[in-house]
Amino acid sequence: AEVVSETTTLGDGKATAVAKDLLNVNRTINTYEAGNSFYLIDASRDMFSNISSLPNDPSGVIWTIDAFNTSPAKSNFKYDHVLSTNNTWVNTPTGVSSHYNGGKAFEYYRIVHNRNSIDGQGGNIISFINVADDDGSSMGNAFWNGAAMFYGNGDSAFERLARGLDVAGHEMSHGVIQNTANLIYQGESGALNESFADIFGVMIDRDDWLIGEDVVKPAAFPSGALRSMSNPH
């Protein structure tokens, strides 16, 4: 699939917007204006590179992309920019959550660990929203695929996965682990990979010691969360 949009060279199109996320909280997000549209591209961080050609070939950005309820496992996988003509995002709370949470995860690694993005070298942080399951149904999951984060819109057990800052932190941390320890995702090394991702996830989302409390449905998870870092058992 190709991103089909007009490409413009780098200008001074950096912008901000205030919009409600999936928790119905007003968030300030960084956007980018190119041509006659605004994009969920955050070019405001110090990792941003002036070799960027925006919007389609950015370097050093936090970028949220719409998968239009398709699956990356299928040949019909479709994706494109999340757009607004006037920099208001009232109809895209999922995009707002994904974009804001990606920024918070970046800030944590930059401020606490002096790490410049997932790869440590200012590489793009990319999130796909509205990702479907392999069978085309709504996906109750989020995952890191080696290059980007993918967020499903939930199912009988889960709300939209982009709601959770700890979910974003967990998935982004899988990328950090890949680029550092590179723990193979199987057996004991896979268990360590998951554990480290949980620990960083709860460090990024400081509200509590729970993982997934903002994305689970109580009927499926009576405890109100996926896991507890204060009571791991």
Side-chain angles (χ1 to χ4, degrees):
E2 294 182 355
V3 176
V4 182
S5 297
E6 179 185 354
T7 299
T8 59
T9 55
L10 175 63
D12 59 355
K14 298 172 187 178
T16 61
V18 177
K20 289 191 184 298
D21 67 1
L22 288 169
L23 297 171
N24 205 35
V25 175
N26 278 321
R27 304 295 193 187
T28 298
I29 56 173
N30 293 288
T31 62
Y32 197 90
E33 183 180 11
N36 297 315
S37 296
F38 290 85
Y39 299 79
L40 286 185
I41 295 175
D42 178 354
S44 70
R45 313 292 171 163
D46 59 3
M47 67 174 178
F48 180 66
S49 171
N50 59 11
I51 68 169
S52 293
S53 178
L54 292 167
N56 291 340
D57 190 20
S59 179
V61 302
I62 300 168
W63 187 8
T64 297
I65 299 172
D66 194 343
F68 302 104
N69 298 304
T70 62
S71 168
K74 297 297 185 180
S75 60
N76 67 341
F77 182 49
K78 176 186 177 184
Y79 58 91
D80 204 342
H81 294 288
V82 184
L83 296 175
S84 169
T85 57
N86 56 6
N87 206 26
T88 59
W89 305 90
V90 291
N91 297 319
T92 53
T94 305
V96 172
S97 283
S98 167
H99 207 54
Y100 176 81
N101 290 341
K104 295 300 289 184
F106 167 83
E107 287 175 8
Y108 167 79
Y109 277 108
R110 193 64 165 138
I111 295 168
V112 178
H113 300 289
N114 196 31
R115 184 172 183 81
N116 191 15
S117 191
I118 292 172
D119 64 0
Q121 300 176 32
N124 291 333
I125 296 172
I126 300 173
S127 300
F128 287 84
I129 58 170
N130 301 320
V131 178
D133 218 334
D134 292 358
D135 63 1
S137 63
S138 185
M139 184 175 71
N141 195 17
F143 61 90
W144 165 261
N145 81 332
M149 294 164 282
F150 293 74
Y151 297 103
N153 284 332
D155 55 14
S156 60
F158 289 94
E159 304 284 355
R160 291 173 181 258
L161 276 296
R163 283 181 105 234
L165 174 57
D166 50 13
V167 175
H170 174 105
E171 301 306 343
M172 182 168 160
S173 294
H174 277 308
V176 174
I177 293 162
Q178 174 186 316
N179 281 276
T180 53
N182 198 25
L183 293 163
I184 296 170
Y185 201 73
Q186 63 186 38
E188 290 183 352
S189 59
L192 287 168
N193 192 323
E194 270 297 300
S195 179
F196 285 132
D198 270 354
I199 290 166
F200 284 115
V202 85
M203 288 292 95
I204 289 166
D205 181 0
R206 297 296 181 103
D207 288 349
D208 50 48
W209 293 106
L210 301 174
I211 294 287
E213 74 281 1
D214 290 323
V215 300
V216 298
K217 292 183 177 178
F221 295 91
S223 71
L226 289 171
R227 296 179 291 282
S228 170
M229 296 295 99
S230 61
N231 183 12
H233 299 296

